[in-house]
Each structure stands twice: as C-alpha cells, then as structure tokens.
Amino acid sequence: MSIKRDKWIQYRILNDTSSLAARFPKTRLLNPNGLAKLLFRYQSLVLKPRDGRFGRDILFITRNGANSYRIHNEKKTVTMKDTEQLLKWIGKKTRGRRYIVQRHLQLAQIQHKPFDIRIMVQRRKGASSTWKVTGSYAKVAVKGYLITNVPSHIIPVPEALKLARIEDRSLIVKIKQIALLAAERLRERYPKLRQVGFDIGIDRNRRIWIIEGNYWPDLLPFRSLKDSSMYRRILWYQKH
C-alpha cells in the first residue's frame, strides 16, 4: 500500500490504538457542524490542511467571550464578531482543500515561545527489522508565531527541557517509547515504511502529545546541531 501524506488518515490509524489514543488532541474533519461543536467545547482550536506541509495555511481560532473570535494565521490576526461570520470566513478561506480541526495544545514554552520535539525513528531494510530512535532535537517557534515549522532555534532536547524548566528527564524516555510504538503501528498499515519524524509536544502540565508523523522528514536541522553523530546515524539507516 502506498504511503499517503494525509493527517486525517494518520490520525485514524494511530488513534485506533488504545495505548496511543490518549496521546492525541480531540480531532475532527472540518465541517460547520463539527467546528461549531469543538468551538463550544474548547477555548482554542487549530485548523490544518490534511495534505499540509511546513505549517502552511494553518489557522488558529481563539474564542473571546461568548461569540467573538480571534483568528491567528502566521503573524496575522483577524477578529470575527460572531460564529456565523466566523464560519463564512473559514468556508471561503479553506475552499477547495480538505482540513482537520483539533483542540489547540498549550505547549510548554522557552522565553514565551512554544516548542516541540522532533523524534526520528528508523529501521533497517527487511521485514523483521525493529525501530530505533536515531535522532532528536527541539524546535522553538519564532516570536509571535504559534507553530514551530519555521523555528527560531534548533537545540538539543535536554537543553530545551532545561530552558523550559522541565526537570523530569524521564519524559525523554517516555517520548521515545511513544514514538517507537506509533511507528510500529504505522508500519502495520504501510509495511514498506522505514522512517518517520514525529513531532511531539509537551503541554504546560507536562503531558506528552503526538502532533503528527512525517514520512519524508527534513534532515537539514540535524546538520545544524553541534553533535553530528545523529545526522550520520540517520544517513546510515537510510542506506541499510
């Protein structure tokens, strides 16, 4: 089966696993009824194109009071006076593309900027090969942005946790375990899958969340780290 870049399909595969379901924010396909229900339930939502890459066209919606809403797109912000106006605006903005809508995670921050963690998992060629964590780094958002796809800093994960004043180093072990479990679940659907770059978030309550898995992850950030061993290891796994 060919691997599809589709956030909804990936969510359905992973969320169907009992040990992973609690690691995902509430997610629905974008439609007026589903959006209205989630707006009523949560203070803040995020809308993502199902086929999106590099954080393009992601919209954040925050409820202000009873019916007023603020929409954040990159560094631009617009305000909608009521739910009807909001739904019309979103309908025009997303026309022609399929979206998912999720509860917006309040990620841990470094100097008032949210960050998440990229965990690279790979396996060697062969049906019996096992998944290994081959690299990781933390992505810190640019000031004023809510996403980390264009980060201001790429730093080692232990350094990020220290800067965020998260002293629980056992979180790194848990994050790796979650990534390995998710990769194995995806391989059941896509037997030829050999690498996934998972974006993992830690919220302000120290809870771990799966943001998404990238089947063709960008390796350039690994080259910017002082420790080049992870980059070399990733390339080795790709060849073997």
Side-chain angles (χ1 to χ4, degrees), residues 9-33:
I9 291 177
Q10 185 183 98
Y11 167 77
R12 291 289 300 273
I13 294 170
L14 296 178
N15 192 58
D16 194 43
T17 306
S18 58
S19 53
L20 292 173
R23 298 298 177 184
F24 287 91
K26 196 72 172 179
T27 303
R28 293 285 183 268
L29 286 174
L30 177 62
N31 56 58
N33 185 53

Short mmCIF file of all heavy atoms in Angstrom, two decimals, residues 9-33:
data_model
loop_
_atom_site.label_atom_id
_atom_site.label_comp_id
_atom_site.label_asym_id
_atom_site.label_seq_id
_atom_site.Cartn_x
_atom_site.Cartn_y
_atom_site.Cartn_z
N ILE A 9 -5.98 10.46 7.85
CA ILE A 9 -5.75 9.02 7.78
C ILE A 9 -4.76 8.60 8.85
O ILE A 9 -4.95 7.59 9.55
CB ILE A 9 -5.25 8.62 6.37
CG1 ILE A 9 -6.37 8.79 5.34
CG2 ILE A 9 -4.74 7.18 6.38
CD1 ILE A 9 -5.96 8.49 3.92
N GLN A 10 -3.68 9.36 9.01
CA GLN A 10 -2.70 9.03 10.04
C GLN A 10 -3.32 9.07 11.43
O GLN A 10 -3.08 8.17 12.26
CB GLN A 10 -1.51 9.99 9.97
CG GLN A 10 -0.39 9.62 10.93
CD GLN A 10 0.73 10.63 10.90
OE1 GLN A 10 0.81 11.52 11.75
NE2 GLN A 10 1.62 10.50 9.93
N TYR A 11 -4.11 10.08 11.68
CA TYR A 11 -4.78 10.18 12.99
C TYR A 11 -5.66 8.96 13.23
O TYR A 11 -5.66 8.38 14.33
CB TYR A 11 -5.61 11.47 13.04
CG TYR A 11 -6.57 11.51 14.21
CD1 TYR A 11 -6.13 11.79 15.49
CD2 TYR A 11 -7.93 11.27 14.02
CE1 TYR A 11 -7.00 11.83 16.57
CE2 TYR A 11 -8.82 11.31 15.08
CZ TYR A 11 -8.35 11.59 16.35
OH TYR A 11 -9.23 11.61 17.42
N ARG A 12 -6.42 8.54 12.23
CA ARG A 12 -7.33 7.40 12.39
C ARG A 12 -6.53 6.12 12.67
O ARG A 12 -6.95 5.29 13.48
CB ARG A 12 -8.18 7.22 11.13
CG ARG A 12 -9.20 8.32 10.91
CD ARG A 12 -10.34 8.24 11.91
NE ARG A 12 -11.05 6.98 11.83
CZ ARG A 12 -12.07 6.73 11.00
NH1 ARG A 12 -12.48 7.68 10.16
NH2 ARG A 12 -12.67 5.56 11.01
N ILE A 13 -5.39 5.95 12.01
CA ILE A 13 -4.56 4.76 12.23
C ILE A 13 -4.04 4.72 13.66
O ILE A 13 -4.15 3.71 14.36
CB ILE A 13 -3.37 4.73 11.25
CG1 ILE A 13 -3.86 4.56 9.80
CG2 ILE A 13 -2.40 3.60 11.60
CD1 ILE A 13 -2.77 4.77 8.77
N LEU A 14 -3.49 5.83 14.12
CA LEU A 14 -2.85 5.86 15.43
C LEU A 14 -3.87 5.97 16.57
O LEU A 14 -3.70 5.36 17.63
CB LEU A 14 -1.85 7.01 15.51
CG LEU A 14 -0.66 6.89 14.55
CD1 LEU A 14 0.24 8.12 14.67
CD2 LEU A 14 0.14 5.62 14.82
N ASN A 15 -4.91 6.72 16.36
CA ASN A 15 -5.92 6.89 17.41
C ASN A 15 -6.70 5.61 17.66
O ASN A 15 -7.33 5.45 18.71
CB ASN A 15 -6.88 8.02 17.03
CG ASN A 15 -7.76 8.45 18.17
OD1 ASN A 15 -7.27 8.85 19.24
ND2 ASN A 15 -9.07 8.37 17.99
N ASP A 16 -6.65 4.68 16.72
CA ASP A 16 -7.35 3.40 16.86
C ASP A 16 -6.60 2.44 17.79
O ASP A 16 -7.10 1.37 18.11
CB ASP A 16 -7.53 2.75 15.48
CG ASP A 16 -8.53 1.61 15.50
OD1 ASP A 16 -9.58 1.76 16.14
OD2 ASP A 16 -8.25 0.55 14.90
N THR A 17 -5.40 2.83 18.20
CA THR A 17 -4.60 2.03 19.12
C THR A 17 -4.83 2.53 20.54
O THR A 17 -4.58 3.69 20.83
CB THR A 17 -3.10 2.14 18.76
OG1 THR A 17 -2.92 1.80 17.38
CG2 THR A 17 -2.26 1.23 19.63
N SER A 18 -5.32 1.65 21.41
CA SER A 18 -5.72 2.09 22.75
C SER A 18 -4.59 2.75 23.52
O SER A 18 -4.81 3.73 24.25
CB SER A 18 -6.26 0.89 23.55
OG SER A 18 -5.27 -0.13 23.65
N SER A 19 -3.37 2.27 23.36
CA SER A 19 -2.25 2.83 24.11
C SER A 19 -1.79 4.18 23.56
O SER A 19 -0.99 4.87 24.20
CB SER A 19 -1.07 1.85 24.10
OG SER A 19 -0.75 1.47 22.77
N LEU A 20 -2.29 4.57 22.37
CA LEU A 20 -1.89 5.84 21.77
C LEU A 20 -3.03 6.86 21.73
O LEU A 20 -2.79 8.06 21.57
CB LEU A 20 -1.38 5.63 20.35
CG LEU A 20 -0.06 4.88 20.19
CD1 LEU A 20 0.22 4.60 18.72
CD2 LEU A 20 1.09 5.66 20.82
N ALA A 21 -4.27 6.41 21.87
CA ALA A 21 -5.42 7.29 21.69
C ALA A 21 -5.37 8.50 22.62
O ALA A 21 -5.75 9.61 22.23
CB ALA A 21 -6.71 6.51 21.91
N ALA A 22 -4.89 8.32 23.83
CA ALA A 22 -4.85 9.41 24.80
C ALA A 22 -3.74 10.41 24.49
O ALA A 22 -3.64 11.45 25.15
CB ALA A 22 -4.66 8.87 26.21
N ARG A 23 -2.92 10.12 23.48
CA ARG A 23 -1.81 11.00 23.13
C ARG A 23 -2.17 12.00 22.04
O ARG A 23 -1.30 12.73 21.57
CB ARG A 23 -0.60 10.16 22.66
CG ARG A 23 -0.07 9.22 23.72
CD ARG A 23 0.44 9.97 24.93
NE ARG A 23 0.89 9.07 25.99
CZ ARG A 23 1.32 9.49 27.18
NH1 ARG A 23 1.33 10.77 27.46
NH2 ARG A 23 1.71 8.61 28.08
N PHE A 24 -3.42 12.03 21.62
CA PHE A 24 -3.85 12.93 20.57
C PHE A 24 -4.87 13.94 21.09
O PHE A 24 -5.77 13.58 21.85
CB PHE A 24 -4.48 12.16 19.41
CG PHE A 24 -3.50 11.40 18.58
CD1 PHE A 24 -3.19 10.09 18.89
CD2 PHE A 24 -2.86 12.00 17.50
CE1 PHE A 24 -2.27 9.38 18.14
CE2 PHE A 24 -1.94 11.30 16.75
CZ PHE A 24 -1.64 9.98 17.07
N PRO A 25 -4.76 15.20 20.67
CA PRO A 25 -5.83 16.16 20.98
C PRO A 25 -7.09 15.78 20.22
O PRO A 25 -7.03 15.10 19.19
CB PRO A 25 -5.27 17.50 20.50
CG PRO A 25 -4.30 17.12 19.41
CD PRO A 25 -3.70 15.80 19.83
N LYS A 26 -8.24 16.18 20.73
CA LYS A 26 -9.51 15.90 20.06
C LYS A 26 -9.44 16.39 18.62
O LYS A 26 -9.11 17.56 18.36
CB LYS A 26 -10.65 16.60 20.79
CG LYS A 26 -12.03 16.09 20.44
CD LYS A 26 -12.26 14.72 21.05
CE LYS A 26 -13.70 14.28 20.87
NZ LYS A 26 -13.93 12.94 21.45
N THR A 27 -9.76 15.52 17.66
CA THR A 27 -9.61 15.83 16.24
C THR A 27 -10.85 15.44 15.47
O THR A 27 -11.42 14.38 15.71
CB THR A 27 -8.39 15.08 15.66
OG1 THR A 27 -7.21 15.42 16.40
CG2 THR A 27 -8.17 15.43 14.20
N ARG A 28 -11.26 16.29 14.54
CA ARG A 28 -12.41 16.02 13.69
C ARG A 28 -12.10 16.50 12.27
O ARG A 28 -11.25 17.36 12.06
CB ARG A 28 -13.66 16.75 14.20
CG ARG A 28 -14.19 16.24 15.54
CD ARG A 28 -14.90 14.90 15.38
NE ARG A 28 -15.47 14.43 16.62
CZ ARG A 28 -14.86 13.64 17.48
NH1 ARG A 28 -13.62 13.24 17.24
NH2 ARG A 28 -15.46 13.23 18.58
N LEU A 29 -12.83 15.97 11.30
CA LEU A 29 -12.80 16.56 9.97
C LEU A 29 -13.48 17.92 10.03
O LEU A 29 -14.46 18.10 10.76
CB LEU A 29 -13.53 15.66 8.97
CG LEU A 29 -12.81 14.38 8.53
CD1 LEU A 29 -13.73 13.54 7.67
CD2 LEU A 29 -11.52 14.70 7.79
N LEU A 30 -12.95 18.86 9.27
CA LEU A 30 -13.54 20.21 9.29
C LEU A 30 -14.84 20.23 8.49
O LEU A 30 -14.87 19.94 7.30
CB LEU A 30 -12.56 21.22 8.70
CG LEU A 30 -13.09 22.65 8.61
CD1 LEU A 30 -13.41 23.21 10.00
CD2 LEU A 30 -12.09 23.55 7.90
N ASN A 31 -15.92 20.57 9.19
CA ASN A 31 -17.21 20.87 8.58
C ASN A 31 -17.93 21.79 9.55
O ASN A 31 -17.55 21.88 10.73
CB ASN A 31 -18.03 19.61 8.28
CG ASN A 31 -18.25 18.74 9.51
OD1 ASN A 31 -18.82 19.20 10.50
ND2 ASN A 31 -17.80 17.49 9.45
N PRO A 32 -18.94 22.54 9.11
CA PRO A 32 -19.58 23.52 10.00
C PRO A 32 -20.09 22.93 11.31
O PRO A 32 -19.93 23.54 12.38
CB PRO A 32 -20.73 24.06 9.15
CG PRO A 32 -20.25 23.90 7.73
CD PRO A 32 -19.46 22.62 7.74
N ASN A 33 -20.69 21.74 11.25
CA ASN A 33 -21.24 21.14 12.46
C ASN A 33 -20.15 20.73 13.44
O ASN A 33 -20.21 21.04 14.64
CB ASN A 33 -22.09 19.92 12.09
CG ASN A 33 -22.79 19.32 13.30
OD1 ASN A 33 -23.48 20.01 14.05
ND2 ASN A 33 -22.61 18.02 13.49
#
